[in-house]
Amino acid sequence: MPKAQATSTQLKALLQTSELSFIMEAHNALAARLAERVGFKAIWASGLTISASMGLRDANELTWSQVLDLVEPMTDFIGAPVLLDADSGYGDFNIFSRFVKKAEACGIAGVCIEDKAFPKRNSFANTDHTLADIDDFTAKIHAAKDVQSDSDFCLVARTEALVAGTGMDNALERATRYEDAGADALFVHSKRSTASEIQEFTKNWRGSIPLIIAPTTYSSTPTNDFKAMGISAVIWANHGLRAAMEAMEKTYREIHEQRSVEGVEGHIATVSDILSLTKTEELLKAEQNYNNPKPKGSDD
Ligand code: SPV
Ligand code: MG
């Protein structure tokens, strides 16, 4: 059987292909597996949705070691690469280097850091967004690239300049500095309801690393437009959790109101679906093998 390609190599290839790629959010291993099963070739381990699924805010309330503990089961469970949202890197260049080493050891294919001050606030939180100093941020990129042991491990640098309102020139300057510092791709974020800022950014961008966006607020823009703008990858950053929240609450409400599960059976996944997704059959076969070993020397 041919050896599976390393997930870091898969992620790098996906970012570098001339096709427009799509990366799907997951907040746990089960969600990651479902996204992979329908065909997504890479997973976004979202800071927002992982935090929310733990009842926490997207504001560095989870420690970095907790983030890794939550994301490692995803990498264990799926074959597709996981791009981890590492917020603003959890500290200075030194903390972020330690994080990158541990992330690689957890099987994570790449990490994304954003140029926000620590502790960060979610880009859509109605507050002022303070940006990191450019030199401090590029130091983190340099340090991460120096410390990674797998040369395909991807470091995505994200600029929040447009979110923070510091202007297009600042966004372009930051992006250029991050490319020069060694970033493998650039994520440019916008919270506008149209893709106008992203379009202007791409018109003026002279860099050559792949561009990534997350069109959460400008979701009605046809994805072909992104391709025409020269975008390499689109992150659907929170749609798995949002779908799950809606479906769960609807189901809980119906069961609560009806004092019965009869009405929801047929509309929800079966217990067999859970057993099959978690490969319970594989365990049962192994059990037969290991709990009833054939005596040595027996032919059959
Ligand atoms: C996330 O999914 O955590 C992101 C994207 O960083 S956003 O929520 O738009 O900041
Ligand atoms: Mg995030």
Side-chain angles (χ1 to χ4, degrees):
M1 218 164 102
K3 201 167 170 286
Q5 203 177 37
T7 55
S8 53
T9 312
Q10 292 177 47
L11 180 61
K12 189 159 258 187
L14 176 131
L15 294 176
Q16 288 181 348
T17 166
S18 55
E19 294 299 309
L20 179 63
S21 302
F22 297 95
I23 303 177
M24 188 66 208
E25 169 268 335
H27 45 281
N28 61 31
L30 186 108
R33 180 73 191 105
L34 291 174
E36 179 182 50
R37 196 161 74 168
V38 304
F40 284 102
K41 298 282 184 275
I43 298 299
W44 169 247
S46 152
L48 171 67
T49 66
I50 292 172
S51 303
S53 68
M54 302 303 290
L56 295 173
R57 290 167 290 220
D58 185 17
N60 289 123
E61 290 185 342
L62 284 169
T63 67
W64 67 256
S65 59
Q66 283 179 311
V67 170
L68 289 180
D69 285 346
L70 291 166
V71 174
E72 194 268 346
M74 294 190 202
T75 66
D76 212 23
F77 196 35
I78 66 170
V82 172
L83 172 61
L84 170 59
D85 175 5
D87 293 339
S88 54
Y90 312 107
D92 67 357
F93 76 92
N94 177 47
I95 305 286
F96 184 53
S97 310
R98 278 189 53 71
F99 177 81
V100 165
K101 269 198 208 168
K102 300 287 179 190
E104 277 194 290
C106 288
I108 288 159
V111 295
C112 173
I113 48 166
E114 66 198 58
D115 54 3
K116 289 267 249 302
F118 179 91
K120 57 76 56 92
R121 297 286 181 261
N122 181 267
S123 305
F124 304 124
N126 191 13
T127 183
D128 288 341
H129 294 277
T130 313
L131 295 187
D133 173 82
I134 297 185
D135 291 331
D136 291 347
F137 193 73
T138 51
K140 292 187 211 185
I141 299 173
H142 277 300
K145 294 312 290 176
D146 286 345
V147 85
Q148 72 185 53
S149 56
D150 169 0
S151 59
D152 283 343
F153 183 84
C154 294
L155 191 281
V156 176
R158 160 173 165 182
T159 184
E160 289 278 293
L162 301 176
V163 168
T166 56
M168 190 57 66
D169 287 348
N170 185 240
L172 288 160
E173 183 200 348
R174 284 174 172 270
T176 306
R177 290 283 303 277
Y178 305 161
E179 172 164 15
D180 292 347
D184 298 294
L186 184 95
F187 175 176
V188 54
H189 204 17
S190 167
K191 58 179 180 183
R192 287 262 174 94
S193 58
T194 71
S196 56
E197 274 181 339
I198 297 297
Q199 183 151 34
E200 194 187 336
F201 179 92
T202 55
K203 265 194 197 140
N204 293 292
W205 165 246
R206 299 283 166 265
S208 56
I209 52 177
L211 293 180
I212 303 175
I213 55 169
T216 299
T217 47
Y218 47 102
S219 55
S220 59
T221 311
T223 53
N224 276 343
D225 291 7
F226 300 138
K227 191 165 167 49
M229 290 175 206
I231 301 295
S232 295
V234 167
I235 297 175
W236 304 124
N238 42 52
H239 302 76
L241 182 71
R242 287 166 57 195
M245 283 170 68
E246 175 81 12
M248 265 192 269
E249 190 166 8
K250 189 163 172 266
T251 305
Y252 291 156
R253 178 166 292 115
E254 181 163 351
I255 296 171
H256 181 67
E257 284 171 358
Q258 301 301 319
R259 298 161 65 94
S260 164
V261 294
E262 205 190 347
V264 304
E265 288 293 355
H267 304 290
I268 58 178
T270 63
V271 172
S272 302
D273 292 336
I274 303 174
L275 298 182
S276 130
L277 198 73
T278 52
K279 300 192 196 128
T280 305
E281 198 56 38
E282 182 186 277
L283 166 65
L284 301 185
K285 277 202 190 114
E287 204 169 37
Q288 274 184 1
N289 198 12
Y290 292 112
N291 288 351
N292 305 299
K294 290 187 195 108
K296 271 210 172 114
S298 75
D299 288 342
D300 50 327

